[in-house]
């Protein structure tokens, strides 16, 4: 996914370019909306304008609220459930109950990302449900996943907070 818009590779500059010519790089980022800054020894960064970042957040919040509102109505919920296979082809390996649970978890994660800034919530929901679909798609893995633990007591779990 592109930083500037879907479907294209994002423009990028090196961290060295940024340090050598910050005004030109900032102008390029402003013109594009967002610019990837690559760094050999660290994760890539994104340089963007505050307005672009605010609009991105506003778009996420609006979409999240719209989807949550749709889920409150039978027709809207049904439409979302019908649209999911187009967006996530792997959901065909989820049963009806799992599809509903995935939809609710995804929409809650989108809401958390939009309203709370919990940026990893959507990624976690997608990764975990995709893993469930992957297990469901393989009869041997599914059989193993559903196998009782033979009474193995793994002991108590300490939760640190």
């Amino acid at each position: 996914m592109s930083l500037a818009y879907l479907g294209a590779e994002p423009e990028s500059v090196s961290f060295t370019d940024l340090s050598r010519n910050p005004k030109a790089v900032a102008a390029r980022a402003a013109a594009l909306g967002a610019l990837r800054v690559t760094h050999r020894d660290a994760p890539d960064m994104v340089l963007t304008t505050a307005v672009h970042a605010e609009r991105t957040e506003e778009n996420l919040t609006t979409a999240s609220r719209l989807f949550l509102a749709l889920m409150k109505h039978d027709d809207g919920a049904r439409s979302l459930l019908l649209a999911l296979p187009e967006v996530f082809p792997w959901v065909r390996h989820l049963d009806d109950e799992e599809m509903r649970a995935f939809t609710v978890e995804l929409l809650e994660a989108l809401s958390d990302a939009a309203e709370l800034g919990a940026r990893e919530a959507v990624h976690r929901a997608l990764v975990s449900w995709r893993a469930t679909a992957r297990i469901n798609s393989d009869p041997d893995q599914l059989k193993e996943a559903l196998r009782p633990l033979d009474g193995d007591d793994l002991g108590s779990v300490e939760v640190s907070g």
Side-chain angles (χ1 to χ4, degrees), residues 90 126-136 141:
W90 46 263
L126 291 174
V127 167
S128 63
W129 281 103
R130 189 179 309 124
T132 299
R134 186 176 297 119
I135 289 169
N136 287 352
Q141 282 188 342

Side-chain angles (χ1 to χ4, degrees), residues 1-11 32-34 52:
M1 182 167 104
S2 170
L3 299 172
Y5 57 90
L6 293 174
E9 288 298 314
E11 295 267 343
L32 292 170
H52 186 270

Side-chain angles (χ1 to χ4, degrees), residues 135-149:
I135 289 169
N136 287 352
S137 72
D138 182 332
D140 293 333
Q141 282 188 342
L142 182 58
K143 183 179 176 183
E144 180 63 22
L146 296 174
R147 181 183 61 80
L149 293 176

Side-chain angles (χ1 to χ4, degrees), residues 12-43:
S12 65
V13 296
S14 69
F15 189 80
T16 303
D17 294 335
L18 175 61
S19 63
R20 287 185 180 158
N21 198 351
K23 286 185 181 181
V25 171
R28 189 168 171 199
L32 292 170
L35 185 64
R36 181 180 295 270
V37 179
T38 60
H39 194 289
R40 181 178 40 226
D41 301 323

